[in-house]
Amino acid sequence: MSEVDNKTIPPVISVEGLTKQFGNFKAVDDITFDVAKGEIFGFLGANGAGKTTAMKMLIGIWKPTSGEGKVAGYDIYSETEKIKRNIGYMSQRFSLYEDLTVWENIRFFGGIYGLTREELREKGSALIDRLGMGEKKGSLVASLPLGWKQKLSFSIAILHTPQIVFLDEPTGGVDPITRRQFWEMIYEAADRDITVFVTTHYMDEAEYCNRVSIMVDGRIEALDKPAQLRKDFNAESMDQVFTSLARKATRSAD
Amino acid sequence: MQLLLTFIAKEFKHILRDKRTLLILFGLPIVQILLFGFALTNEVKNSRIAILDHSTDEMTLQIANRLSASAYFDVDRMLQREEEIDAVFRRDEVKMVIVFPSNFRETLLHTHKADIQLIIDGSDPNTATSILNYATAIINDYQESLQGNPSLPLTITTETRMLYNPQLKGSYNFVPGVIALILMLVCVLMTSVAIVREKELGTMEVLLVSPMRPAILIIAKMVPYLVLSFVIVGIILVMGVTLLDVPIRGSLPLLLGESLLFILTCLAIGLLISNFTRTQQTAMLITLLGMMMPTLVFSGFMFPIENMPIPLQLISNAIPSKWYFYVVQAIMIKGLHIESIWRETLILTGMTLFFLLVSLKKFSIRLT
């Protein structure tokens, strides 16, 4: 895995003092970070720590209460439509239509990102070839094994070659082997210069990231390379790092 | 535009591949029409009655003959004693017993007044009312036929005069009712469930994150159900006209136009419900309790609104299907034109716009 130099490459996500408040409750409390191009950035935190809220502000679904932010070079307040064109998104687990075929899913999701007929044919076929799913092209997604569904879902999320792909707990409830295969696909995407922003609460997955941030009660309590964090916290694994931070949490899970 | 078509095609695939739902969608109106038309009818045909004749004169025999000659009644037996009345009812052998007092003819001719007692099984009030109406009508008929004594007042007199539906045909009531009910079901329930299902699957999030405009999503969800509903309205109308002899006295284009308006109302309500709910079950419950029940109770389809207490009458005004039901009945049965129903049309249009605006507003709020 190549080390990323944050100084020379302009960040593809930059956030400063980002806050989201619901009434008196600060779901996200003054967070600041940068993500470099081609980086795999792990966004960690317990349930209810504010990961999903923070991500929703980055992908243009929710407006922040205060703070600044740019995603793919566009402002998260005023240019959400442009942000949407330049990112890919995969929600918790896979979100494909089970009653549509593999090809119909590709065509539909490609279509909503404005791919033309030719682009669809070209990129869609390349996707099918890469996944080795040629024979399954006309099968309903419901009939595919879990691992394939997930790979397909990820491939579709990056079909329009976005600058950044946001993955919201993409491996929830999936077995370790499938998770491992899934991370191989994430590396391939990063090699193609697609920045990966991934939330997870599997600490073994945190080790796969270039850098991770750990959120506790709406704040980012730690942000560095996994190896550095282990060293700083004098821990053997990311799990221990996380536990020592999460112990401070006062919020209960949502 | 290309995108919208792709999206609509996708929605149609969802519907067409869900064979069970499809069967319900098309089976339900057919079954309902058949049920209401042939099984659950309030109409009375060949009801068995008994007669207890203390007089047995020329007049009572004539009345008995008229009753049994009608299509509504079969004189099942003649009773001899009062005690038998209770027994025949308890064994459910007859629906009505007619009791003529002794010296019926003499009393009538001399005092110009005579009583006939009608004892009716009231366990099913709808049937009982029909039986009462038919019987009094036949007796009144007989009274009028007594030439030379035109003003012989029999105690049983009815003021019931049925405009448009002299035979009290139930189908005149339930064909418009079934249309309103099915449209509610298809448009409100199916639309809200179709949108909420995407929320449950997580695909809605993906759609909201995509650069696609929300209007496209909404239109694409509505179009297939609009088409489907129109087909269903057609099926019900054809069945109503051919099988149940329900007339379409007014203009068919007007009827279809009003139906289109009501379909839009329902779609807007479905959209609204989908905005407030997260699971398909909740959407279904809200639709069934919040929409179907009021449609059944307050549209005038099953229970006459005029007979309700004032507060309930006021509530009924808020139910869109009441207005649609009125309009359909007015066009089909009474043959009225737009001049007579513009007020109802306007109310429906207003409701549609209101629901659409609220749900669109809500939808865009969720995006920011």
Side-chain angles (χ1 to χ4, degrees):
Chain A
M1 178 198 328
S2 64
E3 288 289 295
V4 180
D5 187 352
N6 295 321
K7 306 276 180 323
T8 52
I9 307 169
V12 72
I13 301 176
S14 69
V15 166
E16 209 178 320
L18 196 66
T19 301
K20 180 75 182 180
Q21 198 160 348
F22 298 103
N24 288 326
F25 175 73
K26 278 187 176 166
V28 173
D29 188 1
D30 192 18
I31 62 173
T32 300
F33 64 91
D34 285 346
V35 178
K37 194 171 174 60
E39 194 176 11
I40 300 174
F41 189 83
F43 205 58
L44 275 53
N47 287 333
K51 296 185 308 253
T52 304
T53 311
M55 186 147 97
K56 284 196 167 156
M57 290 190 279
L58 296 180
I59 60 181
I61 295 191
W62 284 351
K63 278 216 155 63
T65 311
S66 62
E68 299 297 321
K70 280 198 173 192
V71 172
Y74 299 107
D75 186 73
I76 56 170
Y77 288 92
S78 54
E79 295 174 307
T80 52
E81 288 311 309
K82 284 179 183 155
I83 290 176
K84 285 176 176 180
R85 285 183 192 286
N86 287 286
I87 62 172
Y89 176 69
M90 182 175 160
S91 71
Q92 304 195 356
R93 300 185 65 191
F94 31 82
S95 28
L96 299 171
Y97 295 103
E98 301 241 317
D99 55 346
L100 297 186
T101 66
V102 171
W103 185 250
E104 283 165 347
N105 267 290
I106 294 174
R107 201 174 52 195
F108 175 73
F109 284 110
I112 63 173
Y113 276 94
L115 296 191
T116 62
R117 245 175 241 265
E118 291 72 45
E119 282 175 315
L120 268 175
R121 206 171 302 136
E122 200 182 302
K123 293 192 173 187
S125 309
L127 187 160
I128 296 269
D129 289 343
R130 200 162 53 241
L131 293 179
M133 290 174 93
E135 283 174 21
K136 294 281 183 183
K137 207 172 139 181
S139 316
L140 293 186
V141 166
S143 69
L144 296 181
L146 191 73
W148 282 28
K149 284 185 197 169
Q150 203 173 27
K151 287 180 188 173
L152 181 62
S153 182
F154 180 72
S155 305
I156 287 177
I158 57 171
L159 184 66
H160 58 292
T161 45
Q163 291 191 46
I164 312 160
V165 62
F166 288 87
L167 310 172
D168 190 4
E169 297 188 5
T171 53
V174 173
D175 66 82
I177 296 169
T178 313
R179 259 163 62 197
R180 177 75 227 182
Q181 290 174 339
F182 189 74
W183 274 89
E184 278 165 17
M185 295 192 69
I186 293 183
Y187 279 121
E188 278 172 38
D191 283 344
R192 285 158 60 197
D193 258 358
I194 297 176
T195 308
V196 179
F197 185 98
V198 54
T199 74
T200 181
H201 48 231
Y202 290 114
M203 287 310 133
D204 56 329
E205 289 188 350
E207 306 276 1
Y208 304 150
C209 301
N210 297 132
R211 284 191 308 147
V212 297
S213 74
I214 299 178
M215 273 187 96
V216 179
D217 287 356
R219 288 173 216 265
I220 291 183
E221 292 290 341
L223 198 172
D224 215 323
K225 300 187 178 85
Q228 188 63 42
L229 284 176
R230 282 199 307 271
K231 213 164 112 193
D232 292 349
F233 284 82
N234 196 17
E236 280 171 24
S237 66
M238 279 304 293
D239 208 27
Q240 285 181 5
V241 175
F242 185 76
T243 318
S244 60
L245 280 170
R247 215 174 276 137
K248 296 195 278 183
T250 51
R251 275 185 208 166
S252 57
D254 51 11
Chain B
M1 196 57 209
Q2 178 65 42
L3 173 56
L4 182 62
L5 290 180
T6 315
F7 212 134
I8 292 176
K10 168 208 154 227
E11 295 302 328
F12 266 114
K13 278 175 198 153
H14 286 320
I15 298 169
L16 296 178
R17 284 183 190 168
D18 188 356
K19 295 279 183 286
R20 217 178 323 161
T21 311
L22 205 61
L23 190 71
I24 294 173
L25 281 186
F26 285 98
L28 201 66
I30 296 174
V31 169
Q32 284 208 341
I33 287 286
L34 293 178
L35 266 182
F36 281 113
F38 297 107
L40 296 179
T41 173
N42 291 338
E43 285 172 57
V44 180
K45 273 195 189 125
N46 303 324
S47 282
R48 279 168 305 172
I49 60 171
I51 294 174
L52 175 56
D53 194 345
H54 292 300
S55 176
T56 327
D57 56 46
E58 168 201 341
M59 277 186 174
T60 61
L61 286 178
Q62 277 171 350
I63 293 176
N65 278 339
R66 277 179 179 241
L67 285 167
S68 81
S70 79
Y72 310 115
F73 302 112
D74 276 342
V75 179
D76 188 64
R77 64 186 68 192
M78 303 300 289
L79 304 180
Q80 306 303 329
R81 286 170 294 121
E82 298 274 346
E83 297 80 59
E84 288 175 74
I85 295 175
D86 232 25
V88 289
F89 276 123
R90 219 174 287 155
R91 289 197 298 268
D92 201 21
E93 286 170 341
V94 299
K95 292 280 173 205
M96 175 172 70
V97 173
I98 298 182
V99 184
F100 294 104
S102 50
N103 303 322
F104 179 79
R105 182 171 179 272
E106 280 73 40
T107 322
L108 190 61
L109 290 179
H110 293 121
T111 69
H112 293 207
K113 203 169 174 235
D115 297 333
I116 298 178
Q117 196 184 5
L118 302 180
I119 307 170
I120 301 170
D121 179 354
S123 49
D124 174 0
N126 290 325
T127 316
T129 316
S130 306
I131 289 181
L132 174 67
N133 286 336
Y134 290 140
T136 44
I138 290 170
I139 292 165
N140 284 344
D141 226 34
Y142 174 74
Q143 179 196 350
E144 278 168 29
S145 73
L146 290 174
Q147 298 292 335
N149 286 315
S151 58
L152 270 183
L154 288 165
T155 34
I156 308 159
T157 49
T158 57
E159 281 293 317
T160 19
R161 193 171 68 104
M162 299 290 169
L163 263 184
Y164 312 115
N165 189 7
Q167 297 143 289
L168 278 175
K169 267 199 175 173
S171 49
Y172 285 18
N173 221 4
F174 72 74
V175 167
V178 167
I179 296 180
L181 208 62
I182 296 287
L183 288 185
M184 270 279 162
L185 190 77
V186 174
C187 299
V188 181
L189 186 65
M190 296 295 161
T191 316
S192 59
V193 163
I195 296 177
V196 174
R197 184 166 48 212
E198 299 238 7
K199 287 194 201 176
E200 276 188 1
L201 287 175
T203 44
M204 183 58 93
E205 253 178 55
V206 178
L207 296 180
L208 291 180
V209 175
S210 80
M212 181 201 61
R213 299 234 309 279
I216 289 189
L217 184 139
I218 292 172
I219 296 172
K221 287 279 174 201
M222 286 183 160
V223 167
Y225 292 107
L226 195 128
V227 174
L228 222 62
S229 313
F230 233 80
V231 174
I232 289 172
V233 170
I235 292 178
I236 299 178
L237 286 181
V238 167
M239 284 184 77
V241 170
T242 56
L243 289 179
L244 306 167
D245 300 323
V246 179
I248 301 180
R249 297 200 175 112
S251 123
L252 185 62
L254 180 61
L255 180 62
L256 294 179
E258 296 280 355
S259 300
L260 185 66
L261 175 62
F262 184 64
I263 290 172
L264 286 175
T265 319
C266 292
L267 289 173
I269 297 174
L271 189 62
L272 192 65
I273 291 179
S274 71
N275 277 338
F276 288 105
T277 51
R278 285 189 179 184
T279 64
Q280 296 183 54
Q281 279 96 329
T282 326
M284 262 182 230
L285 262 179
I286 291 183
T287 314
L288 290 178
L289 294 179
M291 291 296 140
M292 305 291 282
M293 282 286 290
T295 297
L296 275 176
V297 177
F298 288 119
S299 66
F301 152 43
M302 291 203 140
F303 313 106
I305 296 172
E306 310 85 74
N307 295 354
M308 293 179 186
I310 299 293
L312 289 185
Q313 289 196 27
L314 290 178
I315 291 176
S316 77
N317 288 334
I319 312 294
S321 32
K322 170 193 162 165
W323 302 103
Y324 176 67
F325 178 74
Y326 179 85
V327 164
V328 173
Q329 245 195 348
I331 299 173
M332 287 180 73
I333 315 299
K334 302 183 191 169
L336 299 182
H337 300 289
I338 185 75
E339 302 91 69
S340 323
I341 51 171
W342 64 270
R343 225 165 45 99
E344 287 76 13
T345 311
L346 209 63
I347 291 173
L348 266 182
T349 314
M351 285 179 165
T352 312
L353 289 178
F354 172 76
F355 288 129
L356 263 182
L357 282 179
V358 172
S359 48
L360 285 180
K361 185 132 200 304
K362 192 81 170 70
F363 209 90
S364 54
I365 283 172
R366 283 200 28 244
L367 282 169
T368 50

